[in-house]
Every structure is written in C-alpha cells, then in structure tokens.
Amino acid sequence: MKCVLMHKRIEVAQIELDDASGFIKKIGTVYAPEHLPVGIKAKKGYIDRAGLNTWWADRSIPASRSGVREALDRLNVSDTRMLLIRCNGLSLSDQYWIRPDGSGLIWDEINYFDHPFSDDIGDVLFGQDIKENVLDFSSPDSTSDGNLKKRWKVLNGKRCLIKGGSNPFRQQPLNEVIASKIMERLAIPHVTYSVIWNQGVPYSVCEDFIDRDTELVTAWRIMQTEKKANDVSLYRHFVNCAVRSGIPNVISFLDRMIVLDYLIANEDRHLNNFGAVRNAETLKWIGMAPVYDSGSSLGYDKVAAEIRTSENVICKPFKKLHVDQLKLVTDFSWIDFAALSDVRSVIREKLSEEGAKEYIDQVRIDAIADTVERRIQYLQKISMAAHSDFRH
C-alpha cells in the first residue's frame, strides 16, 4: 500500500507498506525531514528504513500483551502491525499517521483528539463479545504499547486510558493511585490515577496528558538522536541527548523520578516509560513528561515474605539495583519528608479497599507499608548525609 507518512497536517515522506506484514518496504520522496520521528535521520534525502520500521513497529500492540493472540484470532488479523494500517496509525500519544494515496484523508477530520473513535478493538482486547455486524477498526487501541491489558475510553468528555493488572494480586492499578499520592505530596509533576472496579477486577484510569497540539517522545527515541560512546553511561547519554535537544530541567526531573522509583520499588521504569513532550507543529520542547505508568512496583508480583526481605530490588533504566541508581541523584533538598508522614496510611487505605480483599490480605499490606516506611527512613538518612557533605 502506497501512502504518505504525515505529522499532523504536514507531509513527511512517501512510504510503501507491505500488504501482508505491515512493514515499511520502501521509502520515497522525503518532504519534511525535520518532522521525521525523533531519532530518525535523513541523510542526503535518504531515510534509514530499518530505523523507521523499528519506530513503526513500536507503535503497534506488542505480541506479548496479555490476551493479544486470542484477540488477533477473533479479529482475523495476522499481526498487530496490520491493525496499525486499519486505523491509519492514528494515536492519542502523538500526531503521526499515514494517509493512503488517493484517500483524501485530512487530520482535522479524523484525529482521535477531536473526534469519536470505535470501542470495537478495545472490546475485543478486553475479551468482550464481538459485534455481529462489521467491526470498526478506527481506534487508538491499535497504537497502544505495553504488556498489560489496556484500552482508551471517552469518560465525561475526556480521553482516558484504562489499564488492568496481572495475576495473582492484580495490584498495579492500586499502585498507580498510591504512587500518584506520593508524588502529590512531593510536588512531583505526575499523571493522576484513579481506580474503577469491573466484575470484581480493578483497573487504573488516567486522563491523556497529550492533546491535539502536543506529543510524547519517549526517552528511548530521544537517546537515538546521538550515538552513545562506549565510555559514556546510559544516564549521561540520556542527559546529553535531552539537553542538546533543548529539553529543559532534565536533571531535576530525573532526580525526582529516581527518588520516587526507589520509594515504591518500581521495577519497570524502562526507556519507553518516561519521556518528554513537544509541540507537534513547532517542534519546540515543552519539558519532561509528567511521571506516568508506575504500577509495576510495591512488590506487585511478590509474596509478603519476599517484599520484606528483598533489599536489592531490581530497577530500570540506568542501573540494575535501586541502591545504585539512587547514587545518580544530584540533589535531595527538595524532598519534604514531613509530607510523607502519612504514606503508611495511604498504602493501607488503598490496598484495603473492599474489592482488593480478594487479592491482597493484611499480611501483604503490612509488608508493603513497612517496607516503604523503611525506604523513607533510609532516604532521609542519605539526604541528611548529602546535605552535611554539601555544607562542608
């Protein structure tokens, strides 16, 4: 299929997609190289096709997502990349899309920020019955990443992402709320989460922080703007790429994100789980994105004994252990420890919700609350030591 890669209303490049696999098999004329996805470069009018294919594939639902294989079978679709074509690659995270040759499609008339979208794909991904009539594939659910079950819905006029948890504790949605409340107390810019229950199962809900004028660019894509030298750490490489790109307040943001992830023992802050926001038309960077997607934390898949005894919790993105990643923090003076005095109560209250009792018992709640309290105390200790070193 021949089409044009579009960035909102701007024609970026001619591309041809393979009808069987959904891969980009040919790139033609490049119209606006500056509007190529971040990290994709055009040299002498030629684009790295492998790099663009990686970016395109990253827009699709990962094959590892819970229930996706069954969903593809029910949709009679061979690959999640084919779903991208069915929705013209439109997303609620950025402004890229594809315009098939001869279609006459216009962004202002089809984007999901201003116009309704189908619930059909989301229904299938959530295991609901397929409608008897023809399915409408026009949905941002075809361009959502991550392994947990998720879907977009319009709730009270707002575009909201609904996401589930994993067995056996279904804890991730509840963790999102706890993380939100901790960040609120520490004045860390963040996405606010709530929880809804459906048939006894919890789901997190958050409003889209991207609108019709902006887009999220992940840390991974930002790091593709420069080649990493062997003697440069992953942390320093990201900082260098972000600062040279013109993104403001990078280090102070990372300080806060790393501290949060230590407190909640986040195990999955990978390079696509944080990023920056820019204006899609002017390409001007607005700043680092508010912290989002913190559910894989608080021992979400561990039994109580493991939570209590596991000091060396694995982490991402810059180090393998939180105690080592915490050493990257440049400033602890912004932490208001008095504001964290009720975190134990926050954890107990959220994990004791009526619906959660089926998955989480009191022994588990106590283990989580005690461990976070211990981490707060340790953080206060190293913060005081850092302050003392600064004074001397």
Side-chain angles (χ1 to χ4, degrees):
M1 182 179 77
K2 294 182 178 180
C3 53
V4 176
L5 175 64
M6 303 289 295
H7 194 204
K8 205 169 180 178
R9 305 178 189 90
I10 297 171
E11 294 184 348
V12 181
Q14 292 178 329
I15 61 174
E16 185 174 344
L17 298 171
D18 183 83
D19 293 331
S21 67
F23 276 104
I24 300 169
K25 67 178 185 179
K26 186 177 181 181
I27 301 174
T29 304
V30 180
Y31 302 114
E34 70 277 10
H35 280 271
L36 284 166
V38 172
I40 305 295
K41 296 180 176 65
K43 296 181 179 179
K44 298 181 179 179
Y46 292 95
I47 299 174
D48 173 18
R49 186 164 63 91
L52 194 62
N53 260 312
T54 298
W55 168 82
W56 180 244
D58 284 345
R59 295 177 75 74
S60 64
I61 301 170
S64 55
R65 179 179 299 179
S66 174
V68 74
R69 187 67 260 168
E70 295 85 348
L72 290 177
D73 290 342
R74 296 174 71 195
L75 293 168
N76 196 27
V77 174
S78 61
D79 192 281
T80 55
R81 279 183 292 271
M82 301 307 295
L83 292 176
L84 283 178
I85 297 175
R86 299 285 191 96
C87 72
N88 296 303
L90 286 163
S91 171
L92 280 171
S93 297
D94 65 24
Q95 313 300 340
Y96 285 100
W97 60 289
I98 54 171
R99 186 185 67 199
D101 287 1
S103 66
L105 293 176
I106 300 172
W107 182 88
D108 295 276
E109 296 178 353
I110 63 172
N111 76 82
Y112 297 138
F113 295 96
D114 299 324
H115 302 286
F117 48 83
S118 170
D119 285 334
D120 291 356
I121 302 302
D123 288 346
V124 172
L125 290 171
F126 268 54
Q128 299 177 20
D129 293 336
I130 295 180
K131 297 190 311 188
E132 292 184 6
N133 53 341
V134 178
L135 288 170
D136 183 350
F137 283 80
S138 178
S139 167
D141 293 323
S142 297
T143 53
S144 61
D145 63 0
N147 292 330
L148 290 175
K149 186 181 292 186
K150 64 175 66 172
R151 69 178 303 176
W152 288 98
K153 291 279 284 187
V154 178
L155 303 175
N156 300 318
K158 305 291 187 181
R159 272 75 180 147
C160 295
L161 185 64
I162 300 173
K163 186 165 63 172
S166 60
N167 289 324
F169 304 112
R170 303 273 185 170
Q171 194 177 309
Q172 291 98 324
L174 304 170
N175 289 348
E176 295 285 14
V177 176
I178 294 170
S180 293
K181 291 182 178 295
I182 291 175
M183 287 187 278
E184 180 181 346
R185 283 156 175 74
L186 293 178
I188 298 174
H190 65 283
V191 174
T192 300
Y193 287 81
S194 60
V195 169
I196 59 173
W197 292 83
N198 183 30
Q199 298 182 341
V201 177
Y203 295 90
S204 66
V205 182
C206 68
E207 185 180 337
D208 192 2
F209 60 89
I210 295 301
D211 58 32
R212 70 192 312 273
D213 298 315
T214 61
E215 59 190 2
L216 171 67
V217 181
T218 65
W220 171 253
R221 295 247 54 91
I222 293 168
M223 292 173 69
Q224 306 312 301
T225 58
E226 297 181 14
K227 184 176 180 180
K228 179 183 172 300
N230 292 333
D231 61 344
V232 174
S233 69
L234 203 61
Y235 172 86
R236 180 48 54 185
H237 179 63
F238 172 73
V239 170
N240 290 344
C241 291
V243 170
R244 288 168 188 161
S245 294
I247 303 171
N249 304 318
V250 175
I251 292 178
S252 63
F253 168 84
L254 293 177
D255 283 352
R256 286 154 176 79
M257 184 183 78
I258 291 171
V259 165
L260 168 77
D261 285 345
Y262 169 75
L263 288 176
I264 64 174
N266 190 350
E267 298 179 37
D268 198 35
R269 184 73 68 198
H270 55 75
L271 294 167
N272 285 317
N273 251 355
F274 70 103
V277 177
R278 70 173 183 175
N279 183 290
E281 294 187 44
T282 66
L283 306 183
K284 180 178 175 59
W285 291 100
I286 296 168
M288 296 298 294
V291 178
Y292 60 92
D293 206 350
S294 303
S296 296
S297 55
L298 300 174
Y300 72 100
D301 62 348
K302 297 175 176 59
V303 298
E306 287 180 288
I307 294 171
R308 285 190 179 279
T309 59
S310 181
E311 291 296 330
N312 295 324
V313 178
I314 62 171
C315 74
K316 300 172 184 175
F318 303 120
K319 298 290 184 179
K320 294 182 178 179
L321 299 176
H322 280 287
V323 290
D324 293 327
Q325 189 159 268
L326 206 56
K327 296 173 184 177
L328 298 173
V329 175
T330 64
D331 177 27
F332 294 96
S333 65
W334 54 273
I335 304 175
D336 182 358
F337 286 98
L340 298 176
S341 61
D342 68 339
V343 167
R344 178 186 290 271
S345 298
V346 169
I347 293 171
R348 290 181 181 277
E349 180 181 351
K350 196 64 202 174
L351 297 184
S352 299
E353 284 189 2
E354 187 63 33
K357 293 178 180 179
E358 182 178 343
Y359 308 101
I360 305 172
D361 61 21
Q362 191 60 50
V363 173
R364 181 176 182 78
I365 294 172
D366 289 343
I368 293 169
D370 291 346
T371 302
V372 172
E373 185 66 32
R374 189 167 68 246
R375 284 172 170 259
I376 292 173
Q377 293 172 3
Y378 177 75
L379 185 63
Q380 191 165 16
K381 179 180 177 181
I382 63 173
S383 175
M384 292 175 62
H387 180 66
S388 176
D389 290 344
F390 175 77
R391 291 178 62 185
H392 291 89

